[in-house]
Amino acid sequence: MGKTFDRMGGMVRRGGDGLLRLALPPVCPVTGDRVLEYGTLSPQAWTELTFITRPHCPVTGLPFERDPGDGTVSPAALASPPRYDHARSALLFEGRTRQLVHLLKYADRTELTLMLGRWMAHAGRDLLADADMLAPVPLHAARLVRRRFNQAALLGQALHRLTGVPLEVALLDRVKATRSQVGLSRSARRRNVQGAFGIAPGRRVAGKHIVLVDDVLTSGATAEACAAVLRRAGAARVDVLTLARVVAPQDVPI
């Protein structure tokens, strides 16, 4: 009898899924083209994404135009070492990737996070292999109320589900409200986030390997401000993993 009910339940679920597909057929979130499964991209959208692959700087993750040999660090990282240990991003922040980020942040398309998390997990596999925890970059409380969710925390949840690395959503506090970083110069971004972050009360990070999670790495000012706080609290290693990163022409290592 139990097996009969299981089969009937399966038939009902499949029937419901079929009705859903008739009423709301799966479409690509960026092109609107029909696709086979919900939460997937059309072939056209795929061709318009630029994934960051090797060769890249082992510290910053910035792509090299040509392979300089294993272990070669970019001149920018040598001249001004970041406060974090390593950074990795799945995609260049351009075109369709920009559209995906904006859909997540401003159009409440939170169902995209699992797909985006898979890309991040692949890009950051060397960082996640022995990580002790994931720490999303926090929003200030006032901005969180307006936006209703923190996209970095949602990406962190997806990474936790995919990798099993513990997620500490409240590890960092945004202790100072800052203006948006959009449109600011590199130096202005650093000044804007100076003193903006702190360790949440009662949290211990001494000796831990922490992976900061965010949606986009632009100048690195926010990531470095968070890394500096974690370093002062005794973290043994701080890495950064984002969905995308901005790469200006002058930033691309030769």
Side-chain angles (χ1 to χ4, degrees):
M1 183 67 69
K3 291 182 179 179
T4 300
F5 280 121
D6 287 343
R7 286 196 295 270
M8 290 175 63
M11 292 170 65
V12 170
R13 286 191 295 272
R14 288 192 294 274
D17 183 64
L19 290 174
L20 176 63
R21 286 174 177 271
L22 287 173
L24 295 171
V27 297
C28 172
V30 294
T31 65
D33 296 334
R34 289 282 295 269
V35 291
L36 293 176
E37 299 292 338
Y38 295 103
T40 58
L41 299 182
S42 67
Q44 178 187 341
W46 271 107
T47 63
E48 296 174 1
L49 297 175
T50 305
F51 285 88
I52 297 175
T53 58
R54 299 181 190 278
H56 55 64
C57 172
V59 175
T60 65
L62 282 166
F64 287 114
E65 289 188 332
R66 56 179 179 271
D67 192 350
D70 290 343
T72 301
V73 176
S74 65
L78 290 172
S80 181
R83 295 181 179 180
Y84 53 78
D85 291 279
H86 311 91
R88 297 289 183 271
S89 302
L91 297 147
L92 296 186
F93 186 61
E94 60 184 18
R96 293 299 190 188
T97 298
R98 185 189 300 269
Q99 187 176 352
L100 282 168
V101 170
H102 287 183
L103 284 170
L104 173 61
K105 291 176 68 170
Y106 307 123
D108 295 350
R109 296 296 300 271
T110 57
E111 79 279 4
L112 298 173
T113 53
L114 189 59
M115 175 181 70
L116 305 180
R118 290 193 186 98
W119 301 345
M120 293 172 67
H122 179 74
R125 58 195 181 279
D126 54 334
L127 311 185
L128 298 166
D130 59 354
D132 291 307
M133 65 184 77
L134 302 166
V137 172
L139 291 177
H140 189 267
R143 186 168 296 171
L144 183 59
V145 168
R146 291 196 299 271
R147 190 173 291 172
R148 292 176 288 110
F149 62 87
N150 178 3
Q151 69 278 1
L154 293 180
L155 292 170
Q157 289 171 0
L159 286 168
H160 166 67
R161 289 174 59 188
L162 291 163
T163 67
V165 178
L167 174 66
E168 295 290 342
V169 174
L171 179 66
L172 290 167
D173 275 340
R174 193 113 183 191
V175 297
K176 184 179 79 172
T178 58
R179 61 172 292 191
S180 171
Q181 297 276 68
V182 176
L184 297 182
S185 67
R186 185 181 296 269
S187 59
R189 285 171 177 265
R190 292 184 184 279
R191 291 193 300 271
N192 191 42
V193 295
Q194 187 173 1
F197 302 98
I199 303 291
R203 304 287 175 163
R204 299 288 182 267
V205 300
K208 301 296 186 181
H209 172 196
I210 300 166
V211 177
L212 289 167
V213 178
D214 208 354
D215 55 348
V216 181
L217 186 65
T218 307
S219 67
T222 298
E224 292 208 45
C226 291
V229 168
L230 293 168
R231 286 290 198 196
R232 287 196 295 270
R237 175 176 162 185
V238 181
D239 294 325
V240 180
L241 179 56
T242 67
L243 171 63
R245 74 171 304 144
V246 174
V247 179
Q250 65 270 22
D251 290 335
V252 181
I254 297 174

